[in-house]
């Protein structure tokens, strides 16, 4: 079992950048992927990006590709989400999650960490 903790959120201006971190503790050897999701106030949770743990393959939501970069450091058990050219629409709680089974990288995440708030001012 793995425990996840997201951090790195904060207040930024439109056009700014943030790097979110997802620190994993516990057993990570059997992880299939780690993903990032976000949920705006009053909105639904949506997939942002994911990375396979062993192979480092990356996947992005179509609407976000080009502004985001997901990476991982297995030695530090940490996944990063670099966000550039931020817009007010990016304001949301961001969560990282762990996936153990195979299949789609956008679905079936079973372990969730606490969210970190990203606020983009106009």
């Amino acid at each position: 079992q793995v425990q996840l903790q997201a951090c790195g959120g904060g207040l930024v201006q439109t056009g700014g950048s943030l790097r979110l971190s997802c620190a994993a503790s516990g057993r990570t050897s059997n992880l299939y992927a780690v993903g990032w999701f976000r949920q705006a106030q009053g909105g639904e949770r949506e997939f942002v990006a994911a990375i396979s743990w062993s192979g480092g393959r990356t996947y992005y939501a179509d609407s976000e590709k080009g502004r985001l970069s997901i990476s991982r450091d297995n030695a530090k058990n940490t996944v990063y989400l670099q966000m550039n050219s931020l817009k007010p629409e990016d304001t949301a709680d961001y969560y990282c999650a762990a996936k153990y089974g195979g299949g789609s990288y956008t679905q079936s995440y079973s372990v969730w960490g606490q969210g970190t708030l990203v606020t983009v001012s106009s």
Side-chain angles (χ1 to χ4, degrees):
Q1 183 76 321
V2 67
Q3 305 291 323
L4 302 175
Q5 178 63 59
C7 64
L11 175 64
V12 298
Q13 298 181 30
T14 297
S17 299
L18 280 176
R19 189 183 72 167
L20 306 183
S21 298
C22 177
S25 60
R27 186 177 180 86
T28 60
S29 60
N30 62 337
L31 275 174
Y32 183 74
V34 173
W36 284 96
F37 297 78
R38 70 184 183 187
Q39 185 169 19
Q41 188 176 43
E44 297 182 347
R45 186 183 66 194
E46 62 179 359
F47 172 79
V48 177
I51 186 168
S52 64
W53 191 250
S54 60
R57 297 178 179 179
T58 58
Y59 303 85
Y60 300 93
D62 291 340
S63 61
E64 305 297 336
K65 189 174 183 178
R67 298 194 301 123
L68 307 179
S69 179
I70 188 170
S71 61
R72 55 117 169 82
D73 186 337
N74 288 38
K76 296 182 178 180
N77 290 332
T78 301
V79 173
Y80 304 97
L81 181 67
Q82 178 70 42
M83 304 189 295
N84 302 316
S85 301
L86 286 166
K87 301 175 289 185
E89 305 93 274
D90 296 317
T91 296
D93 284 309
Y94 285 73
Y95 301 85
C96 61
K99 179 181 178 67
Y100 288 93
S104 174
Y105 284 94
T106 66
Q107 302 175 18
S108 302
Y109 289 82
S110 58
V111 180
W112 294 78
Q114 291 184 265
T116 185
L117 178 63
V118 172
T119 303
V120 184
S121 63
S122 59

